[in-house]
Amino acid sequence: MAEGIKIEIVSPESLVLSEQASAVTVPGADGYFTVMGDHAAMMTTLKAGFVTVTSGGAERTYYVQGGFADVNDAGLTILAEQAKTGADFDKSELDAAIVSAQEALNGATTDQAKQDAQTALDGWKNLLMEIDVVGLPN
């Protein structure tokens, strides 16, 4: 088994991330999936959600909206219509997104809607924790 995977997250504006990671969790069209070394080749569209990159025992979260994920021998490439790091948000945006996700969870009537809302809520909270650790201004 390979010792990780090369991950690149690319948006129309910039190369957001390019590094070696031990695992990457991606919001595919059919649900979240995790890519590790020696993953089978695949391609999928992305739904809006959170890419979680694990390397060196630490996790970082990136928000992506739309696009594609391509896993091949060279690694994982995410071509996102929009990709943001925690530093790209201000705290008030994340607070509002958390409130909205909590309201969606509270109003969810199906198991799938509850799962989607919980995933969104967890992602926004993780992103907020990251900017709190980095110490970005409010």
Side-chain angles (χ1 to χ4, degrees), residues 66-87:
F68 298 90
D70 179 30
V71 181
N72 58 47
D73 291 340
L76 167 63
T77 302
I78 295 174
L79 302 171
E81 293 171 14
Q82 180 182 33
K84 294 183 174 189
T85 67

Side-chain angles (χ1 to χ4, degrees), residues 94-106:
L94 292 176
D95 289 337
I98 288 169
V99 168
S100 177
Q102 184 64 59
E103 289 171 355
L105 179 60
N106 294 342

Side-chain angles (χ1 to χ4, degrees), residues 55-123:
S55 59
E59 287 187 351
R60 283 171 292 134
T61 305
Y62 300 84
Y63 174 75
V64 295
Q65 187 171 358
F68 298 90
D70 179 30
V71 181
N72 58 47
D73 291 340
L76 167 63
T77 302
I78 295 174
L79 302 171
E81 293 171 14
Q82 180 182 33
K84 294 183 174 189
T85 67
D88 295 328
F89 290 93
D90 67 26
K91 191 169 183 314
S92 64
E93 281 182 283
L94 292 176
D95 289 337
I98 288 169
V99 168
S100 177
Q102 184 64 59
E103 289 171 355
L105 179 60
N106 294 342
T109 57
T110 67
D111 288 341
Q112 185 62 49
K114 288 177 186 174
Q115 182 180 354
D116 291 346
Q118 186 65 58
T119 298
L121 179 61
D122 293 346

Side-chain angles (χ1 to χ4, degrees), residues 24 56 108 120:
V24 182

